[in-house]
């Protein structure tokens, strides 16, 4: 990633100093210079005419340098972009490999924790509404651990999206899903009690 950033910085630096784009190609300028040299060497002309041709030849030389500078600029930009793309692909491949290793390690850990064969582990995702996420996770993860232990699954909850990944055997995942659905569907109602009702409830509780 640091290499990609360095290449991007080089590209940005080059783009801040783009050389002027020449109107004519190097081939056209070379032909023009060749024609001028031929005319100068084969035709009789006044000193003023010869000076004019020499001036055109000098200007053609400058144009050739501009073409060369612009060509090199394009070659450098193209090479840097290709290197950045290649590096980016390598980084993505490395990340994918690392992610696969982490997934494999996590599956091994789940296999040992859940006591089932690694090939029998599947993962399903359900969505937990924002208002129920806290109830599914619980204080310091206590509710989540309770579901995991009771149903024999491993649970990973993304608190930002509400996506809840449940891993284990299909049967245990179904049990955990039903458990979580029960939490999602639970409704707590607030009711207002009169003073007399409160006194009765408090009295009965004390009894």
């Amino acid at each position: 990633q640091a290499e990609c950033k360095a290449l991007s910085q080089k590209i940005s630096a080059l783009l801040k100093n783009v050389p002027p784009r020449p109107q004519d190609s190097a081939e056209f300028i070379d032909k023009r210079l060749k024609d001028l040299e031929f005319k100068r060497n084969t035709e009789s002309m006044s000193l003023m005419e010869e000076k004019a041709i020499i001036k055109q030849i000098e200007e053609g030389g400058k144009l050739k340098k501009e073409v060369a500078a612009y060509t090199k600029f394009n070659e450098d930009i193209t090479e840097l972009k290709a290197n950045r793309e290649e590096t980016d692909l390598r980084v993505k491949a490395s990340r994918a490999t690392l992610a696969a290793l982490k997934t494999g390690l996590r599956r091994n850990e789940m296999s040992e924790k859940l006591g089932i064969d690694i090939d029998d582990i599947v993962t399903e995702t359900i969505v937990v509404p924002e208002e129920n996420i806290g109830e599914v996770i619980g204080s310091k993860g206590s509710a989540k651990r309770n579901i995991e232990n009771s149903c024999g699954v491993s649970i990973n909850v993304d608190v930002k999206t509400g996506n809840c990944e449940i891993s284990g055997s299909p049967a245990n995942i179904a049990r955990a899903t039903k458990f979580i659905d029960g939490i999602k569907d639970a409704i707590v109602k607030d009711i207002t009690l009169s003073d007399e009702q409160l006194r009765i409830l408090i009295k009965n509780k004390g009894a």
Side-chain angles (χ1 to χ4, degrees), residues 117-168:
D117 190 271
I118 191 171
D119 293 329
D120 294 332
I121 296 175
V122 295
T123 299
E124 294 184 11
T125 302
I126 63 174
V127 178
V128 178
E130 183 180 354
E131 61 269 19
N132 296 130
I133 291 177
E135 296 169 9
V136 172
I137 296 176
S139 176
K140 298 181 180 179
S142 58
K144 182 173 82 73
R145 285 194 299 272
N146 180 45
I147 300 171
E148 290 176 329
N149 295 333
S150 300
C151 302
V153 296
S154 178
I155 297 175
N156 182 39
V157 182
D158 187 331
V159 296
K160 292 182 179 179
T161 63
N163 287 339
C164 177
E165 291 184 351
I166 309 173
S167 301

Side-chain angles (χ1 to χ4, degrees), residues 60-131:
K62 292 178 181 178
L63 290 175
K64 279 192 67 174
K65 289 181 180 179
E66 290 180 3
V67 170
Y70 189 77
T71 300
K72 187 176 185 308
F73 165 80
N74 279 328
E75 290 174 348
D76 290 344
I77 285 289
T78 301
E79 183 179 359
L80 285 170
K81 286 183 176 180
N83 289 340
R84 183 177 62 179
E85 184 176 352
E86 181 183 348
T87 302
D88 187 51
L89 289 174
R90 287 203 310 268
V91 170
K92 288 180 179 178
S94 298
R95 286 176 177 171
T97 300
L98 181 59
L101 289 172
K102 287 182 177 180
T103 299
L105 180 60
R106 185 167 179 265
R107 286 175 65 84
N108 282 329
E109 292 174 346
M110 281 193 291
S111 176
E112 294 179 4
K113 176 184 176 182
L114 304 177
I116 60 177
D117 190 271
I118 191 171
D119 293 329
D120 294 332
I121 296 175
V122 295
T123 299
E124 294 184 11
T125 302
I126 63 174
V127 178
V128 178
E130 183 180 354
E131 61 269 19

Side-chain angles (χ1 to χ4, degrees), residues 13-105:
L14 279 177
L15 291 174
K16 289 179 180 178
N17 298 283
V18 181
R21 183 173 184 173
Q23 295 181 347
D24 299 321
S25 65
E27 292 78 10
F28 178 86
I29 296 172
D30 283 336
K31 185 179 182 307
R32 176 63 177 161
L33 290 175
K34 186 177 180 181
D35 291 343
L36 289 170
E37 288 287 359
F38 180 80
K39 182 177 182 180
R40 180 190 175 198
N41 295 327
T42 58
E43 296 181 11
S44 59
M45 60 187 71
S46 66
L47 181 60
M48 185 177 294
E49 289 174 330
E50 184 176 10
K51 285 183 178 180
I53 289 179
I54 291 174
K55 184 177 181 181
Q56 291 180 58
I57 292 173
E58 290 175 349
E59 290 175 350
K62 292 178 181 178
L63 290 175
K64 279 192 67 174
K65 289 181 180 179
E66 290 180 3
V67 170
Y70 189 77
T71 300
K72 187 176 185 308
F73 165 80
N74 279 328
E75 290 174 348
D76 290 344
I77 285 289
T78 301
E79 183 179 359
L80 285 170
K81 286 183 176 180
N83 289 340
R84 183 177 62 179
E85 184 176 352
E86 181 183 348
T87 302
D88 187 51
L89 289 174
R90 287 203 310 268
V91 170
K92 288 180 179 178
S94 298
R95 286 176 177 171
T97 300
L98 181 59
L101 289 172
K102 287 182 177 180
T103 299
L105 180 60

Side-chain angles (χ1 to χ4, degrees), residues 183-201:
I183 296 175
K184 290 162 56 179
D185 296 336
I187 301 176
V188 178
K189 294 184 177 179
D190 291 329
I191 60 175
T192 302
L193 300 177
S194 66
D195 292 341
E196 181 64 20
Q197 287 173 319
L198 284 172
R199 280 195 295 270
I200 294 172
L201 287 173

